Amino acid sequence: MEIKKFKTESKRLLDLMANSIYTNKDIFLRELISNASDAIDKKRYLALTNTNINTDDLKININIDKENRIITISDNGIGMSEEELNQNLGTIAKSGSFEFKKELDTNSNVDIIGQFGVGFYSSYMVADKIEVISKKYDSDDIYKFISENEEGYFIEKINQDIDFSTKIILKIKENNQDFEYDKYLDEYYIETLIKKYSDFISYPIYLKKNDKEEIINTMIPLWKKDKKDIKTEDYDNFYLNNYFDFEKTIKTLHYKIEGNSSYTALIFIPSKAPNNYYSADFKTGISLYSKGVFIKDNAQELVSDYFRFIRGVIDSEDLNLNISREILQIDNQVNNLKKSIDKKIKTTLETMLKNEREDYEKFFDSFGLQLKYGCYEKYGLNKDILIDLLLFKSSHNDKYTTLKEYVERMKENQKEIYFASGDNIDNIKRLPQLEKILNEGYEVLYLKDHIDEFMLEIIKNYDNKEFKSINKVELSLLNEKEQEIINKQSEDNKDLINKLKELLKDKVSDVKLSNKLISYPVCISNDGDISIEMEKVLKQYQNQIIDTKKILEINPNHDIFNSLLKAYENNENLDDYAYLLYNQALLIEGLELEDVYEFNKILNKIILKSIK
Ligand code: ADP
């Protein structure tokens, strides 16, 4: 007989499981019961269109043989062929364990086991010999998978009368000083585990206790139970055990809709985004049932992308049962469901924002970026749905503000919504252009996410007020008198300004005196549609080099300006000063120096000159 080796990646995972010091070995039972339940779901699903498939007496059996240290879990689900035993149990590439393994590669903390459905392999935490006997529903052949250690396994065809489709046979490890394995041979302990983790499984789980078979689980799925019979704790346990999260949800919705589309929903809004949330392999955690029959997981067609952070169960009353999983997406009833779910999420978030601000802000910290993408996507098609759910940091205080709140605080003469962008709030607060506008009593939104400016570009305005970068604000509009003074200063110093323009002609499109600055000598602003922040993002993500039209603004009330005048009059190193000031302005804007060597050279030259 040929012994097959586990694939390397499986092997690593198995070693880890077998030698795990992880305390919560209990989850192996939850995983195997859940596999059994999935297998029955699959058979029931096939039976919807194939009347030859027998779906009577669907059940899961658990048996304990203390003497031989064996616990078995059997089901009459879909079963596995030889090839499937090989594929499904010999490799982890397809299972939940795969996600787990990926995480393991980046994070060596063993405790993450609890975060994933590690599936079948979790058996290796408690057993030193594992056998699986299985018969596929449409075949008479029975196969046995045997694995005695983490090295490999073999599969043989057997002749036997069986009254199940799949049976998992675990030989429980001997007690050692670190762990008492005997408890997995104790019916009462196993009973508590079933009640704790698998109560809602919709098929009966039989356990032999004192030689009598007994159904342990209540079987009514949580969402089908009456709300008044459910404790917060039940929801929490359901969520934590099914979605492998460590943290309780920020909101749980359990409701029933009758009418146009009738359904029961149990929806969770998580507190934190999973690690892979903003990556392509994240899948929406919504399962679809139809009158209690499982249809599919990851039913992303049931919720708009911008709300894809929700998890839970939708149990529809009126889905066409013959529907194939593929055509779900275009089904009208599914569309109605989606509309209704979207609406519910939106009103829930709105209510949270209004009445539970702290929770909403926590939610926004995790999923705000998703809402922003939602506003931006599809050329802003959904912006009106989402815009009032957005939060921004601003100069008002250190807390979040909505756009509505911002507008309510706007000064009487203010016509636009001001914003400043940068890599982080601290850097934004230090932007030279900000000082004056804040001094004048205007509020400025602080944008730190890459998507922000692109999104505002799409949103364009709020409550008829346009968004305006502080780089482009014409303070002259705000303060005419000051502008007059600046105009005069510009006229008086036009020779110097022209000279600077000439010296920097390859770098900036204009040099001008500014009325935006107080304590800083210079700043960079820009002209045109692409802002400096957008330039940075495009460069980082799309490797697109875009040269925004930069303007060097000089503070005429700063000592540096007087020094520049002197340098100009004495014809002394003006080119060097101009160069340094321009680069200084780049740096404070969060841009890179154009040429580090040149910058150092000129700086050193100035230092040498000044220390004489
Ligand atoms: P997951 O359940 O996350 O896919 P597992 O490692 O637990 O990962 O299982 C791998 C695969 O083996 C399952 O996807 C399923 O196809 C198959 N499988 C496991 N247990 C059973 C069972 N009791 N009956 C039929 N198929 C099963």
Side-chain angles (χ1 to χ4, degrees):
M1 192 172 346
E2 184 206 0
I3 296 202
K4 295 189 175 161
K5 282 205 156 55
F6 283 112
K7 301 258 160 66
T8 5
E9 53 180 11
S10 313
K11 167 105 180 31
R12 233 197 97 208
L13 184 66
L14 288 174
D15 282 338
L16 193 115
M17 287 289 169
N19 304 312
S20 156
I21 43 154
Y22 183 64
T23 44
N24 201 359
K25 294 176 191 277
D26 291 355
I27 59 160
F28 87 93
L29 191 65
R30 168 191 86 187
E31 297 293 312
L32 295 182
I33 291 177
S34 139
N35 278 351
S37 167
D38 287 350
I40 302 176
D41 277 342
K42 285 178 193 156
K43 187 160 101 174
R44 252 182 113 189
Y45 180 78
L46 289 177
L48 294 175
T49 48
N50 181 347
T51 46
N52 292 327
I53 298 177
N54 177 5
T55 54
D56 295 340
D57 197 22
L58 297 169
K59 62 181 177 182
I60 298 165
N61 279 78
I62 298 182
N63 246 303
I64 295 171
D65 172 356
K66 264 200 191 113
E67 217 172 302
N68 295 308
R69 301 190 68 79
I70 283 181
I71 178 168
T72 63
I73 296 95
S74 48
D75 63 73
N76 51 6
I78 191 167
M80 280 177 277
S81 63
E82 179 182 19
E83 197 192 325
E84 284 167 333
L85 282 169
N86 227 327
Q87 281 289 321
N88 296 338
L89 309 184
T91 37
I92 65 163
K94 293 203 298 193
S95 70
S97 314
F98 183 60
E99 288 301 315
F100 170 77
K101 193 213 151 248
K102 277 206 299 200
E103 186 65 16
L104 201 67
D105 287 342
T106 49
N107 187 344
S108 58
N109 179 2
V110 180
D111 258 6
I112 55 174
I113 289 178
Q115 244 191 84
F116 289 86
V118 273
F120 173 74
Y121 287 167
S122 55
S123 319
Y124 287 83
M125 292 199 288
V126 299
D128 44 24
K129 178 175 183 185
I130 298 172
E131 296 180 343
V132 181
I133 298 173
S134 199
K135 179 181 117 29
K136 182 109 185 181
Y137 75 99
D138 58 356
S139 160
D140 292 327
D141 299 338
I142 305 173
Y143 291 94
K144 189 170 182 179
F145 164 106
I146 301 165
S147 165
E148 294 203 60
N149 51 42
E150 298 85 57
E151 291 301 320
Y153 62 94
F154 59 88
I155 296 175
E156 60 183 10
K157 194 167 174 196
I158 58 169
N159 271 318
Q160 198 177 315
D161 264 346
I162 58 171
D163 57 356
F164 54 80
S165 304
T166 302
K167 182 186 251 177
I168 316 283
I169 304 162
L170 304 182
K171 174 105 192 306
I172 296 294
K173 293 181 184 174
E174 298 284 346
N175 283 352
N176 62 27
Q177 74 233 42
D178 296 325
F179 200 82
E180 190 215 330
Y181 290 95
D182 282 0
K183 60 182 177 184
Y184 298 125
L185 298 165
D186 172 7
E187 289 114 4
Y188 293 95
Y189 189 68
I190 294 296
E191 179 177 4
T192 40
L193 289 187
I194 299 172
K195 285 226 165 81
K196 182 168 171 198
Y197 293 118
S198 312
D199 191 53
F200 56 86
I201 293 282
S202 42
Y203 310 103
I205 303 172
Y206 288 90
L207 176 69
K208 215 178 201 168
K209 268 169 52 190
N210 305 325
D211 287 329
K212 266 198 357 232
E213 289 235 294
E214 226 179 84
I215 298 177
I216 306 297
N217 55 331
T218 59
M219 269 180 294
I220 307 172
L222 190 62
W223 62 94
K224 287 276 190 196
K225 286 188 186 164
D226 204 329
K227 267 174 93 162
K228 64 179 192 319
D229 298 332
I230 307 178
K231 296 189 286 268
T232 319
E233 197 185 316
D234 299 328
Y235 288 125
D236 288 345
N237 282 337
F238 182 90
Y239 175 74
L240 295 174
N241 287 322
N242 279 287
Y243 299 99
F244 312 113
D245 201 346
F246 287 135
E247 258 186 76
K248 291 178 191 167
T249 61
I250 201 120
K251 197 97 213 154
T252 298
L253 309 172
H254 185 191
Y255 64 95
K256 201 174 165 143
I257 299 266
E258 322 237 9
N260 204 1
S261 62
S262 304
Y263 68 98
T264 306
L266 177 55
I267 291 176
F268 302 101
I269 302 180
S271 310
K272 283 239 167 66
N275 287 343
N276 68 346
Y277 183 70
Y278 290 104
S279 77
D281 51 70
F282 174 82
K283 294 205 184 79
T284 307
I286 286 284
S287 309
L288 175 64
Y289 285 73
S290 177
K291 299 195 189 77
V293 182
F294 173 80
I295 305 286
K296 71 177 293 204
D297 276 331
N298 310 125
Q300 65 205 49
E301 50 278 76
L302 290 181
V303 64
S304 282
D305 259 1
Y306 47 81
F307 291 149
R308 68 194 188 124
F309 45 78
I310 61 166
R311 291 164 171 169
V313 174
I314 304 297
D315 197 340
S316 160
E317 288 301 315
D318 41 26
L319 263 190
N320 180 356
L321 271 185
N322 287 323
I323 198 164
S324 82
R325 293 177 199 199
E326 288 69 38
I327 70 158
L328 263 180
Q329 304 191 14
I330 48 166
D331 187 82
N332 228 343
Q333 276 162 333
V334 174
N335 271 334
N336 286 338
L337 267 177
K338 177 177 171 178
K339 267 191 212 139
S340 167
I341 294 164
D342 275 351
K343 206 168 130 207
K344 184 75 183 182
I345 306 295
K346 179 171 146 71
T347 46
T348 302
L349 293 177
E350 278 168 350
T351 318
M352 256 171 90
L353 175 58
K354 208 165 134 223
N355 302 330
E356 296 154 10
R357 180 72 171 230
E358 211 174 301
D359 279 351
Y360 186 79
E361 292 189 358
K362 199 171 161 210
F363 157 81
F364 194 84
D365 278 333
S366 298
F367 298 107
L369 203 53
Q370 175 70 69
L371 301 183
K372 290 175 181 179
Y373 279 114
C375 283
Y376 171 76
E377 274 165 358
K378 303 187 178 150
Y379 304 100
L381 183 70
N382 299 310
K383 63 178 186 194
D384 293 335
I385 300 174
L386 300 172
I387 192 145
D388 281 312
L389 291 172
L390 298 184
L391 296 179
F392 297 90
K393 290 283 164 93
S394 87
S395 58
H396 178 61
N397 57 26
D398 279 339
K399 304 211 175 83
Y400 275 122
T401 179
T402 62
L403 290 173
K404 192 159 170 269
E405 290 158 355
Y406 177 100
V407 168
E408 280 163 8
R409 285 190 296 263
M410 272 169 68
K411 288 178 71 162
E412 231 170 84
N413 64 342
Q414 187 183 348
K415 307 215 161 37
E416 293 154 329
I417 298 174
Y418 301 132
F419 68 84
S421 345
D423 297 335
N424 60 59
I425 302 286
D426 284 338
N427 285 351
I428 298 172
K429 283 184 180 169
R430 285 195 285 254
L431 285 174
Q433 304 89 310
L434 202 58
E435 250 178 335
K436 189 65 170 274
I437 191 164
L438 294 184
N439 259 13
E440 306 250 328
Y442 296 98
E443 182 177 344
V444 176
L445 299 177
Y446 295 156
L447 308 183
K448 66 167 179 41
D449 288 330
H450 289 142
I451 182 84
D452 286 338
E453 281 200 42
F454 294 91
M455 175 187 76
L456 293 188
E457 183 102 320
I458 295 270
I459 299 179
K460 288 206 167 60
N461 53 53
Y462 177 81
D463 194 20
N464 291 322
K465 288 154 188 84
E466 247 182 80
F467 292 101
K468 189 101 182 185
S469 160
I470 54 159
N471 282 326
K472 290 196 190 166
V473 173
E474 283 296 335
L475 284 178
S476 55
L477 297 174
L478 306 173
N479 194 333
E480 267 176 46
K481 231 200 217 133
E482 253 181 60
Q483 188 58 37
E484 265 171 40
I485 299 173
I486 292 276
N487 289 347
K488 179 150 189 316
Q489 283 172 319
S490 301
E491 183 57 33
D492 294 349
N493 298 292
K494 85 170 177 276
D495 291 347
L496 167 65
I497 294 168
N498 283 337
K499 180 74 191 168
L500 289 171
K501 267 189 216 177
E502 189 196 312
L503 289 171
L504 296 171
K505 67 177 187 301
D506 297 336
K507 308 183 190 311
V508 296
S509 60
D510 201 5
V511 176
K512 64 183 187 191
L513 297 188
S514 172
N515 65 350
K516 285 182 198 160
L517 301 171
I518 298 180
S519 62
Y520 293 86
V522 287
C523 75
I524 290 273
S525 65
N526 76 307
D527 215 7
D529 291 336
I530 304 222
S531 73
I532 291 168
E533 221 29 56
M534 288 158 118
E535 173 188 331
K536 283 191 239 167
V537 176
L538 291 172
K539 187 168 162 204
Q540 187 179 346
Y541 290 98
Q542 305 186 345
N543 215 3
Q544 265 190 58
I545 310 288
I546 288 175
D547 232 346
T548 51
K549 281 175 79 188
K550 298 189 183 67
I551 298 170
L552 182 69
E553 300 198 28
I554 304 181
N555 181 354
N557 306 316
H558 199 284
D559 287 345
I560 289 275
F561 181 68
N562 291 329
S563 303
L564 281 179
L565 264 178
K566 263 188 221 145
Y568 176 60
E569 278 158 13
N570 303 341
N571 201 4
E572 218 179 312
N573 301 99
L574 188 66
D575 51 345
D576 291 340
Y577 298 132
Y579 184 87
L580 287 181
L581 286 171
Y582 164 70
N583 278 286
Q584 181 184 122
L586 289 182
L587 283 177
I588 195 120
E589 201 64 46
L591 293 163
E592 281 170 31
L593 291 176
E594 279 178 358
D595 183 338
V596 180
Y597 296 99
E598 184 69 11
F599 181 80
N600 288 352
K601 205 174 90 192
I602 293 179
L603 189 60
N604 291 341
K605 189 169 137 194
I606 304 271
I607 292 173
L608 287 173
K609 251 188 85 184
S610 67
I611 314 175
K612 256 186 192 140

